[in-house]
């Protein structure tokens, strides 16, 4: 799979199954609940390190006890394998920090 090829929801369904991420139009979206603001920031800090490592950065929403992510490969206008990789890494980080899927 080419890292610049846009993927359809059907092509991402298996990899996203069981995760907080859903394929919504031209992006992957997930929200995680945490115990408080500081724990949401810790999840975001860990994701920031991975995003820099992959040179692929999510759009983020941060609030008290929640952190949300939107992933899209803006250079090609949709979801690519880069987004799936980052989604998998974010899912692992969220689990390590005890964050739960959902609002």
């Amino acid at each position: 799979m080419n890292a610049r090829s846009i993927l359809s929801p059907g092509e991402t369904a298996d990899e996203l199954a069981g995760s907080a991420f859903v394929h919504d139009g031209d992006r992957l979206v997930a929200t995680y609940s945490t115990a408080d603001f500081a724990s949401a920031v810790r999840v975001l800090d860990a994701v920031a390190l991975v995003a820099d490592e992959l040179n692929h950065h999510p759009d983020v929403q941060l609030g008290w006890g929640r952190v949300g992510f939107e992933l899209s490969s803006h250079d090609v206008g949709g979801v690519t394998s880069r987004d799936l990789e980052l989604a998998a890494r974010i899912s692992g980080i969220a689990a390590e920090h005890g964050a739960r899927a959902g609002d």
Side-chain angles (χ1 to χ4, degrees):
M1 167 179 349
N2 181 328
R4 294 183 53 79
S5 297
I6 295 175
L7 304 173
S8 70
E11 293 172 305
T12 62
D14 287 346
E15 287 197 50
L16 298 178
S19 79
F21 281 92
V22 295
H23 193 145
D24 181 22
D26 63 352
R27 62 197 178 133
L28 302 180
V29 190
T31 301
Y32 293 93
S33 297
T34 63
D36 52 29
F37 185 75
S39 57
V41 169
R42 284 191 293 275
V43 170
L44 181 53
D45 282 344
V47 169
L49 293 174
V50 168
D52 279 346
E53 172 191 323
L54 298 176
N55 194 29
H56 192 56
H57 303 89
D59 291 327
V60 177
Q61 295 178 339
L62 179 66
W64 193 95
R66 67 175 174 69
V67 60
F69 300 96
E70 293 183 9
L71 314 179
S72 183
S73 295
H74 302 291
D75 58 334
V76 295
V79 174
T80 68
S81 61
R82 293 176 290 169
D83 301 298
L84 288 175
E85 180 178 359
L86 183 54
R89 300 281 297 270
I90 290 171
S91 295
I93 289 166
E96 289 171 13
H97 289 300
R100 300 169 310 284
D103 300 320

